[in-house]
Amino acid sequence: MSQRFRLAVVLRLREMAEDRAQLGLAQALAAHHEAVADVHRLQDAAEVERQRLSSLQSGGAFSAGQLLDASDAVDGAQRSLERGRDRLQTAAGELFQARAVLAEATRRREVVERFRDRFVAAQRREEDRREAAFLSEMGVTRHAWRALGEGRQ
């Protein structure tokens, strides 16, 4: 090819942006998985506290302080679970945002790649045209020499 693709630097920058977006998506996915695991852990802890309170209520022999402590533990576990669900919702939003950023970065890279593909195709067509013109010129020249040779005889 006689010319270089002028947007090669832009293409490389778009590829790098896409790589960063993929990394961002991976980090958001890891954060989401961590938030899901936290919610499961908090649900289990809240269930343990609920069972503890239930066993105290159904066991018969308990003090008011034990019942109050168990009730407070259930309330605390429930608040922790709500905060965990809020973090999960935030992580899910960040995951969707990271996915959108990656989709946009991919789209932008593909646009430049299509420009590059069109450029390469145009270069090939130009090379084919030049080659055809050269071969045509050679054929015309040979024919002229042959015609001159036959005209002398």
Side-chain angles (χ1 to χ4, degrees), residues 16 23 56 59 91-92 96 124 144 147-148:
M16 290 169 59
L23 180 61
L56 277 176
F96 284 120
R124 283 191 189 125
L148 284 175

Side-chain angles (χ1 to χ4, degrees), residues 51-63 66-67 69-70:
Q51 288 176 357
R52 184 173 154 238
L53 177 61
S54 178
S55 70
L56 277 176
Q57 289 173 338
S58 65
F62 60 87
S63 69
Q66 288 175 324
L67 189 57
D69 288 345

Side-chain angles (χ1 to χ4, degrees), residues 47-88:
E47 184 59 31
V48 166
E49 293 301 331
R50 274 190 230 102
Q51 288 176 357
R52 184 173 154 238
L53 177 61
S54 178
S55 70
L56 277 176
Q57 289 173 338
S58 65
F62 60 87
S63 69
Q66 288 175 324
L67 189 57
L68 184 59
D69 288 345
S71 178
D72 288 345
V74 168
D75 290 343
Q78 195 62 37
R79 283 191 302 274
S80 293
L81 180 58
E82 289 172 15
R83 284 192 303 270
R85 287 181 176 150
D86 289 343
R87 284 192 303 270
L88 177 59

Side-chain angles (χ1 to χ4, degrees), residues 5 21 88 96-97 108 119 148:
F5 180 59
L88 177 59
F96 284 120
Q97 179 63 30
R108 292 175 59 125
F119 175 79
L148 284 175

